[in-house]
Amino acid sequence: MKTVVVCVDKNGGQTRLGRRLASDRAVRSRIASLPQPVCVDEYTATQFTEDEDRSRLSVVSDPAAIKEGTAFLERQDIPDDADTILVFRWDKRYPADRYLAFRFRGWRKARKEDFPGDAHEKVTLETWVRKKEAKA
């Protein structure tokens, strides 16, 4: 099983000039508390400054390329082999030049949860799972 984590603003924006639009301590805490270590690249690892958060990370050159486990992607596209996608949505719009291009055809939203962030009044966590193929 492969889980992918992404953060986007209200418009699906991800980055501007190659940099993250925003970060939030409450979101980082939730990501770090996922049941297995989270694969990140060097850039993404820099936002996890607290010792307890960093201990749950595995820094790799290309987290999108892992075969199984959890990958937090900020500047990579969602790979085709993902089984679950966790989308954290900020409650604000930011200037962006890169947007989440992934289309959720063949996926279903299994869960939606709003929670207060540290830097954002409201963060929405959507859990998307791949729809099961109909058997012939």
Side-chain angles (χ1 to χ4, degrees):
M1 292 284 292
K2 182 172 180 175
T3 300
V4 171
V5 179
V6 295
C7 295
V8 298
D9 74 357
K10 272 187 168 182
N11 287 338
Q14 289 185 287
T15 63
R16 179 165 190 220
L17 302 175
R19 299 180 66 191
R20 73 183 60 90
L21 298 180
S23 66
D24 191 294
R25 189 177 324 153
V27 170
R28 286 193 307 271
S29 178
R30 284 188 177 228
I31 292 170
S33 69
L34 291 170
Q36 52 190 301
V38 178
C39 294
V40 297
D41 63 17
E42 285 285 342
Y43 174 78
T44 298
T46 62
Q47 72 175 291
F48 291 83
T49 56
E50 298 82 18
D51 289 338
E52 64 276 5
D53 286 351
R54 285 191 69 90
S55 69
R56 301 282 301 140
L57 302 180
S58 175
V59 179
V60 299
S61 61
D62 184 5
I66 65 169
K67 296 300 178 201
E68 61 180 45
T70 302
F72 178 20
L73 307 179
E74 289 191 284
R75 301 184 297 177
Q76 302 90 352
D77 293 326
I78 295 175
D80 293 334
D81 62 345
D83 299 296
T84 303
I85 303 170
L86 304 178
V87 180
F88 288 92
R89 292 190 187 274
W90 312 127
D91 63 341
K92 298 177 182 159
R93 291 180 180 90
Y94 296 101
D97 56 18
R98 184 181 199 289
Y99 294 85
L100 183 64
F102 189 82
R103 298 296 167 237
F104 289 89
R105 276 184 233 109
W107 293 77
R108 70 175 177 82
K109 192 184 305 182
R111 184 170 185 224
K112 180 179 174 184
E113 172 193 359
D114 293 332
F115 63 93
D118 181 59
H120 297 87
E121 187 174 316
K122 180 179 89 170
V123 178
T124 301
L125 170 57
E126 298 172 356
T127 302
W128 291 83
V129 295
R130 187 180 298 278
K131 288 180 183 177
K132 301 221 187 266
E133 301 278 328
K135 294 185 180 181

